[in-house]
Amino acid sequence: MSPVQKPVYGLKAGATMLKKLTAFVRYLVGRLTVFFSCERRGSVCHYLFSMLLMGLALVLRLVIAPIDAGLQYVTFFPAVTLSAVVGGYKTGLLATMISLSFATCIFTPPYYSLSLESLRVSFWPNLVFLFDGAFVSLLIETMHRYRRRYALELKKTTEAHNALAGDEMCLKKILDNLFAYVALLDTSGIVLEVNKAPLERAGYRREDVVGLFFYDAPWWSYDSKVQLQLIDAIDAAGRGQTLRYDAVVKMGGDLVPIDFKISPVCDDSGQIIGLLPTGVDISERKQVENKLRESERQARSALALLQKSETRFRELFENSPVAYQALDEKGRCLDVNDRLCLMLGYGREELLKLSFCDLLPDPAGLARAGFLSGLLCDGAISKELELKCKNGSLITVLLSGAVQRDAGGDFVRTHCTLHDITERKNAEEALRIAAATFETHEAILVTDSEGNILRVNRAFQKITGYASHEVLGKNPRILSSERHDEAFYAEMWRSLLNKGAWAGEVWDRRKSGEIYPKWMTITAVKDAQGKTTEYVAIFSDITERKQNEEEIRNLAFYDALTMLPNRRLLLDRFHRALSVSERSKQYGAVLFLDMDKFKLLNDTLGHNYGDLMLVEVAERIKPCVRDVDTVARIGGDEFVVLVEKISLSPVYASQKVAWIAEKIRSTLAVPYRIGQHVHHSSPSIGVCLFCGKRVAVDDLLKHADFAMYQAKNAGRNTVRFYDPVLQRAVEERAMLERDLRCSIADGQLHLYYQLQLDKNLMPLGAEALIRWMHPVRGMMSPAQFIPVAEESLLILDIGRWVINSACRQLAEWGRNIKMQNLLLAVNVSTHQFRMPDFVGSIQSAIQEHRIDPSRLKLELTEGVILDDISDVVAKMQALKALGIGLSLDDFGTGYSSLSCLKRLPIDQIKIDRSFVRDVVSNPDDAVMVKTIIDMATNFRLNVIAEGVETEAQLAFLKESGCMAFQGYYIGKPAPIDDFVVGLGNTDRILH
């Protein structure tokens, strides 16, 4: 209670009476507190208080309804509850028994008497009232005892943390305001009753909770895991166990931690009649515990920091790069650090015996007169001084001093820091001397930290052509030749910022516009704080030196006659080529060339004509190779061509280099017109492939040289590979190409026909497939010779032959009633489709053989659409205008997209055999095939599947909605006669 303030107006007697009244009120409050306290429950006073309450309840009952027994809950039960609250469960039971006596004797007929009839009539109501009174008394007693026990626990916790007064007060406040959450459940876990604390805290009404399963109450429903834990606790309580654990409940919009306990409620026989869950909000306790842990952690951290700070301060003091000295009022040394000892060469004990004046060259004059008096008067000073070291040498220091005084203003000590600036003084002197040497024969340019020109010397003006006033205040970019990219300048600035200097060769522009090379060194000038203040650039014109270097380089690395790389440069590039090949795994090749009959030219016409021919040979070779390749002359009439990065495949690399070698051979075999003479010569070329560093450069040149001699032995004017296996591969491919050129004229090409069925498994048509009956190798499939035909462009002649043969066959079928409706599909090469007259050639074939164009179907690969899509669509539309059907072959394996598919005017797509092969066993392929069929159906396209080899595949495709089929299960490719015979044997497929 706050102290009573003294009245503004009043007498001393009135104040005394007010104090007595205040003391009486305090006494009365104290006695009531003792009376209602938990520790004195069950005393005689409480029993008397209970009987007094029951008497008051009886009077109230008689006033309300003298003879109505039904109102005993209204009057007597609150008195029972209050008695149990004040005096404990025993006083509550006493009040219950008194209530039963009043109800039986006074308010039960016959009224105001005790008889067997009144006992019989009031038995059951009294029994219920007795149970309710006992239950409430026990429940209240349980709550009081739980509160008492929890108060004791909190008290112990409070006593454990007496060291922190603030935390103790906070915890005491939490304990004083603690209240419990209590509910009553039946044995199945349904809420029968709940106190106000959880309802008010969560903002719910009693009727929102009563009747629900306890674990479905809104406090728990926010988390299924919490509900499961609560269900386990309810089950355990139903088996007679009492569980207690920390839980988290939802109170309004907050999650509140509670000390949760659920106990069984038993009757006198030990039978479980209900469950009693209780919970106490432990949010504040949790917060206090967390704060306590944090406080302890902070205390430990602060102690550790303090110790560390002391250690670091001492280390900093002793190891500081700044010298320190403490002086008394007379200038005598009180303390020094190691830096000052090191600076002056004295030991610590020696310095402590000296005064500051003893360190000065002229202590009597300068020190006593000026330094100490000025420091004591001003309280601080900063001055440059010369100090005398132990060895007698002098150093220049910048001394900063400050006087320390106590709270009363009395002198304590003087703190001095000393910076050795001897080097800076020397640097300033050196800079003064350097200023005199600024006008040197080398150009000097000085800029500020932003790159603006501050000063230039006469040599700069002479080299650049700019006068001083023309460049001052401008950026050095005015000299840029624009030969260097941004990366060059970025590296320059990186070096300047990181290292403080840069040196290198730069191409700049004079005022006249002439671009010239110069060697430049840039240095960053920094102040005492390490901040860049200026940049100094010194450069010299190296035009003459560059010209000399270029001439020397040409003499060292290039052939003087042909200006081709010589042997030295060739070997250097060869080594680098092997390193690149080692990393990329790509094959390269070296070609060794020797001109046939060159000695005859020298002997007959002279070396001058021979030199002219060698120059012509060099000029002819260079256009035959790429710019990245190297053409070198290594002596006499011998040339070497180094070709890099050909291919990852040795076979393709050998084919490519063979083509290059043949191109060089044919170019050099053209007659040479030298002056008035015509000279016939040809090269013998040896080729050697390489990949990586497995073979040395010298060995590769020897191999190419050996292959060149093999070419000479083979009759000159030819190409030979060093590797016998690759040589045979090249020769075999060349022979295959040569034989293929004769195949059409010799009638070696044939068309085979493979049957196609519609969705009803009836003959729809066939696909024409080319076969080559080689006179020596026998039957060859397209996979063996079509790639050669594609590369050599023989595919154009073969494609025209196939179109004409197919149209001829359609014309023959048209004269047969049974076959006149069959379609014939023909594959078209990409090269063939790209020909400008492709549509015209198809139209000519149709007109020549007089066939129905709707029976001809052209199968195009997806590679066709990689070219100009507009041109492709135009050609397709022209073919469609003729009535020809178009099919997209090998769909799904190439580069087709839905956007292209939408634009292409095709009639059919063919599912590639790679999807059909595993369509029964591989779910992914099955999904792919179904997707293609559904997509084609949505695009209103026909679908045919190739590669059908089993009955299961055919059944799956039919079930998936495929419209046509082709494969070995339906019929193998066969000559026309066998195809016609097999055309009538499709019954096995139908059955």
Side-chain angles (χ1 to χ4, degrees):
M1 185 175 183
S2 62
V4 179
Q5 298 179 354
K6 184 178 180 180
V8 178
Y9 304 101
L11 299 175
K12 184 176 181 181
T16 304
M17 183 178 297
L18 184 59
K19 290 181 179 179
K20 292 181 179 180
L21 181 60
T22 302
F24 175 75
V25 172
R26 288 179 178 174
Y27 172 78
L28 183 61
V29 171
R31 298 305 299 172
L32 290 176
T33 302
V34 172
F35 180 75
F36 289 104
S37 65
C38 296
E39 289 76 5
R40 300 290 303 276
R41 291 164 60 85
S43 65
V44 175
C45 293
H46 293 111
Y47 286 112
L48 293 177
F49 177 74
S50 176
M51 288 186 289
L52 177 62
L53 284 178
M54 296 310 301
L56 294 175
L58 177 62
V59 173
L60 180 64
R61 175 70 177 79
L62 291 173
V63 171
I64 296 174
I67 59 174
D68 189 355
L71 296 177
Q72 61 186 24
Y73 273 93
V74 176
T75 56
F76 294 147
F77 200 77
V80 171
T81 302
L82 183 59
S83 297
V85 170
V86 175
Y89 75 96
K90 291 181 180 180
T91 58
L93 294 177
L94 176 62
T96 302
M97 298 305 298
I98 293 174
S99 298
L100 294 177
S101 300
F102 288 163
T104 303
C105 299
I106 299 176
F107 301 107
T108 303
Y111 304 107
Y112 300 99
S113 65
L114 178 65
S115 64
L116 292 176
E117 179 63 21
S118 62
L119 291 175
R120 183 187 63 79
V121 171
S122 63
F123 176 76
W124 290 109
N126 288 343
L127 183 60
V128 173
F129 189 86
L130 175 63
F131 174 78
D132 292 343
F135 177 77
V136 170
S137 298
L138 291 174
L139 179 62
I140 294 173
E141 182 66 21
T142 300
M143 295 172 62
H144 277 291
R145 292 186 179 185
Y146 182 82
R147 179 176 176 273
R148 186 186 307 119
R149 183 174 61 188
Y150 195 73
L152 291 175
E153 292 179 358
L154 290 178
K155 184 177 181 180
K156 292 179 181 179
T157 304
T158 305
E159 293 174 353
H161 302 293
N162 279 336
L164 300 174
D167 292 339
E168 180 183 9
M169 294 300 296
C170 181
L171 182 60
K172 185 175 181 306
K173 182 178 179 181
I174 295 173
L175 294 175
D176 290 343
N177 293 277
L178 189 67
F179 60 92
Y181 307 144
V182 182
L184 181 63
L185 315 179
D186 63 9
T187 55
S188 62
I190 296 177
V191 179
L192 300 177
E193 188 58 72
V194 63
N195 69 340
K196 292 182 179 180
L199 296 175
E200 292 177 351
R201 180 70 185 276
Y204 301 116
R205 298 179 302 173
R206 178 178 175 277
E207 44 275 17
D208 295 335
V209 178
V210 174
L212 297 176
F213 283 102
F214 191 52
Y215 51 79
D216 286 335
W219 304 297
W220 315 94
S221 60
Y222 75 95
D223 192 343
S224 60
K225 294 182 179 178
V226 175
Q227 288 181 308
L228 292 175
Q229 187 180 18
L230 181 60
I231 291 173
D232 294 339
I234 293 174
D235 292 341
R239 296 192 297 271
Q241 301 178 13
T242 298
L243 291 185
R244 182 177 179 180
Y245 59 89
D246 288 348
V248 178
V249 296
K250 187 174 184 180
M251 293 295 182
D254 301 326
L255 295 178
V256 179
I258 63 170
D259 179 5
F260 179 75
K261 178 181 178 182
I262 184 167
S263 307
V265 178
C266 303
D267 57 12
D268 295 338
S269 62
Q271 181 69 28
I272 298 175
I273 60 175
L275 305 177
L276 184 65
T278 60
V280 178
D281 187 348
I282 59 174
S283 302
E284 295 184 359
R285 191 187 79 184
K286 291 287 187 181
Q287 294 175 1
V288 170
E289 291 174 354
N290 292 336
K291 289 181 179 179
L292 180 58
R293 285 193 293 268
E294 180 64 21
S295 298
E296 293 175 351
R297 186 192 66 78
Q298 291 179 355
R300 289 193 298 270
S301 176
L303 180 59
L305 288 175
L306 180 59
Q307 294 173 347
K308 185 177 180 181
S309 177
E310 292 177 353
T311 303
R312 289 182 61 189
F313 174 77
R314 196 62 202 175
E315 291 177 353
L316 181 63
F317 176 74
E318 296 297 343
N319 302 306
S320 172
V322 179
Y324 170 81
Q325 184 179 32
L327 305 175
D328 64 9
E329 194 170 8
K330 295 182 179 180
R332 289 173 298 197
C333 187
L334 299 176
D335 195 8
V336 296
N337 67 350
D338 292 343
R339 181 62 182 174
L340 183 61
C341 297
L342 182 63
M343 181 189 298
L344 299 177
Y346 288 97
R348 182 185 295 270
E349 298 299 328
E350 293 176 313
L351 280 175
L352 292 177
K353 295 177 182 178
L354 300 175
S355 69
F356 182 78
C357 297
D358 296 332
L359 302 176
L360 298 173
D362 182 16
L366 175 64
R368 291 189 175 90
F371 173 69
L372 292 175
S373 58
L375 182 60
L376 292 175
C377 294
D378 300 336
I381 195 170
S382 180
K383 194 176 189 67
E384 290 186 4
L385 298 173
E386 281 192 339
L387 297 183
K388 181 173 63 178
C389 299
K390 183 178 181 180
N391 60 8
S393 61
L394 297 178
I395 62 172
T396 305
V397 299
L398 175 63
L399 184 143
S400 298
V403 175
Q404 178 186 355
R405 300 183 184 275
D406 59 17
D410 295 330
F411 178 87
V412 177
R413 63 172 55 190
T414 299
H415 300 278
C416 299
T417 58
L418 301 93
H419 297 264
D420 187 352
I421 60 173
T422 305
E423 292 185 0
R424 192 187 77 185
K425 285 293 184 179
N426 295 335
E428 290 175 354
E429 180 64 18
L431 185 60
R432 186 184 64 80
I433 296 173
T437 60
F438 184 69
E439 297 300 337
T440 180
H441 67 282
E442 292 185 316
I444 299 178
L445 177 147
V446 182
T447 72
D448 60 15
S449 59
E450 301 298 326
N452 299 312
I453 300 175
L454 301 177
R455 187 178 179 187
V456 296
N457 66 352
R458 284 190 292 271
F460 174 90
Q461 302 175 51
K462 180 179 180 182
I463 293 175
T464 63
Y466 286 98
S468 175
H469 67 274
E470 293 178 311
V471 296
L472 293 182
K474 297 183 178 179
N475 193 282
R477 282 193 293 268
I478 63 174
L479 306 175
S480 175
S481 65
E482 300 181 356
R483 278 197 177 188
H484 303 290
D485 55 14
E486 293 182 358
F488 174 84
Y489 291 106
E491 180 61 29
M492 175 191 294
W493 279 106
R494 188 179 299 110
S495 178
L496 281 173
L497 296 176
N498 296 336
K499 301 177 181 179
W502 178 87
E505 182 181 302
V506 180
W507 287 82
D508 270 354
R509 189 188 306 273
R510 305 185 205 271
K511 182 180 180 180
S512 62
E514 177 190 355
I515 296 176
Y516 69 103
K518 65 184 182 183
W519 183 263
M520 182 165 63
T521 301
I522 306 176
T523 304
V525 180
K526 301 180 182 294
D527 58 14
Q529 289 74 34
K531 181 180 179 181
T532 300
T533 57
E534 293 91 15
Y535 292 101
V536 178
I538 302 175
F539 61 88
S540 58
D541 189 344
I542 58 172
T543 303
E544 185 177 353
R545 192 186 78 183
K546 292 291 289 184
Q547 292 173 350
N548 295 336
E549 289 176 353
E550 183 67 20
E551 184 176 355
I552 294 172
R553 183 177 180 274
N554 289 335
L555 293 175
F557 294 106
Y558 288 88
D559 176 53
L561 176 64
T562 62
M563 295 310 295
L564 293 177
N566 59 13
R567 177 182 289 272
R568 179 180 297 176
L569 184 55
L570 170 67
L571 293 179
D572 179 68
R573 293 185 180 179
F574 211 155
H575 284 292
R576 284 187 295 175
L578 292 183
S579 299
V580 173
S581 176
E582 180 75 18
R583 292 192 299 268
S584 65
K585 306 303 179 185
Q586 287 191 323
Y587 279 82
V590 56
L591 286 69
F592 203 105
L593 289 76
D594 184 87
M595 298 305 298
D596 302 329
K597 303 179 182 179
F598 179 73
K599 187 176 181 301
L600 179 62
L601 175 64
N602 278 339
D603 293 342
T604 57
L605 298 179
H607 289 280
N608 290 337
Y609 284 89
D611 291 344
L612 294 175
M613 176 183 169
L614 292 177
V615 173
E616 179 67 19
V617 168
E619 294 300 322
R620 291 189 184 187
I621 295 176
K622 286 190 287 187
C624 296
V625 295
R626 302 167 299 180
D627 292 339
V628 296
D629 299 327
T630 300
V631 180
R633 179 184 176 223
I634 61 175
D637 60 340
E638 292 180 340
F639 294 84
V640 172
V641 178
L642 179 62
V643 184
E644 302 180 48
K645 298 180 181 180
I646 301 175
S647 173
L648 293 171
S649 168
V651 176
Y652 180 78
S654 63
Q655 296 173 357
K656 183 69 175 179
V657 77
W659 180 81
I660 295 173
E662 177 59 28
K663 183 178 180 181
I664 295 174
R665 187 206 61 78
S666 60
T667 301
L668 296 182
V670 176
Y672 295 84
R673 179 171 295 278
I674 306 171
Q676 302 298 322
H677 302 275
V678 176
H679 178 69
H680 293 271
S681 182
S682 59
S684 295
I685 304 176
V687 181
C688 181
L689 292 178
F690 62 85
C691 183
K693 298 181 178 180
R694 293 189 295 269
V695 184
V697 171
D698 291 340
D699 293 335
L700 290 172
L701 289 173
K702 290 178 183 178
H703 295 167
D705 190 21
F706 180 76
M708 183 270 293
Y709 279 105
Q710 286 183 329
K712 283 189 176 294
N713 295 334
R716 303 177 187 272
N717 193 23
T718 187
V719 179
R720 284 291 182 269
F721 278 79
Y722 169 75
D723 191 336
V725 176
L726 295 180
Q727 177 68 26
R728 286 196 297 271
V730 173
E731 292 175 352
E732 183 178 354
R733 182 189 178 283
M735 186 179 300
L736 187 65
E737 180 179 341
R738 185 179 62 249
D739 294 343
L740 190 59
R741 292 183 184 276
C742 305
S743 61
I744 299 177
D746 295 343
Q748 299 172 5
L749 298 181
H750 303 276
L751 284 184
Y752 276 44
Y753 301 85
Q754 188 172 25
L755 181 62
Q756 295 178 343
L757 300 181
D758 61 14
K759 61 182 179 181
N760 297 319
L761 303 183
M762 298 301 294
L764 176 66
E767 180 180 4
L769 303 171
I770 191 170
R771 296 292 185 269
W772 183 12
M773 183 60 69
H774 195 276
V776 178
R777 304 169 187 257
M779 179 64 71
M780 297 182 65
S781 67
Q784 295 175 280
F785 65 91
I786 288 299
V788 177
E790 292 275 1
E791 293 177 8
S792 62
L793 297 182
L794 290 173
I795 192 67
L796 300 177
D797 297 330
I798 295 175
R800 283 191 290 268
W801 176 86
V802 171
I803 292 294
N804 284 313
S805 300
C807 291
R808 187 183 305 109
Q809 188 61 56
L810 280 174
E812 292 181 9
W813 286 353
R815 293 188 287 271
N816 188 328
I817 298 178
K818 295 181 179 181
M819 305 178 69
Q820 62 183 0
N821 293 324
L822 293 180
L823 303 177
L824 185 57
V826 178
N827 289 287
V828 176
S829 165
T830 302
H831 292 290
Q832 187 178 3
F833 188 84
R834 291 173 182 167
M835 296 302 294
D837 62 341
F838 173 72
V839 177
S841 63
I842 298 296
Q843 185 176 9
S844 300
I846 292 173
Q847 294 174 352
E848 178 182 353
H849 297 285
R850 298 180 181 179
I851 63 171
D852 183 1
S854 62
R855 294 168 56 207
L856 178 63
K857 180 171 61 178
L858 301 181
E859 293 190 358
L860 308 174
T861 62
E862 293 186 4
V864 169
I865 64 176
L866 291 178
D867 293 326
D868 184 6
I869 187 66
S870 301
D871 181 64
V872 172
V873 171
K875 287 185 178 180
M876 287 185 173
Q877 289 175 345
L879 294 171
K880 291 279 292 182
L882 295 176
I884 299 172
L886 299 177
S887 176
L888 190 59
D889 197 10
D890 300 332
F891 183 79
T893 63
Y895 308 91
S896 60
S897 63
L898 294 180
S899 61
C900 293
L901 188 64
K902 180 181 69 175
R903 295 181 60 185
L904 298 178
I906 58 175
D907 305 294
Q908 183 186 69
I909 59 175
K910 176 178 280 191
I911 303 176
D912 187 72
R913 64 178 68 252
S914 61
F915 297 120
V916 177
R917 181 176 57 249
D918 299 325
V919 73
V920 179
S921 59
N922 190 330
D924 293 337
D925 286 344
V927 171
M928 180 66 72
V929 169
K930 288 183 178 179
T931 302
I932 293 174
I933 294 174
D934 293 339
M935 180 186 65
T937 303
N938 293 333
F939 277 101
R940 297 183 294 276
L941 298 177
N942 189 279
V943 185
I944 183 171
E946 67 176 356
V948 181
E949 298 179 356
T950 64
E951 183 178 359
Q953 293 172 350
L954 180 62
F956 175 87
L957 291 169
K958 285 190 61 179
E959 183 180 355
S960 300
C962 189
M963 306 168 190
F965 315 93
Q966 176 184 343
Y968 275 31
Y969 180 73
I970 296 170
K972 296 182 179 180
I976 186 59
D977 296 333
D978 296 340
F979 171 80
V980 173
V981 173
L983 194 60
N985 298 329
T986 59
D987 292 341
R988 64 176 181 84
I989 301 175
L990 292 172
H991 300 292

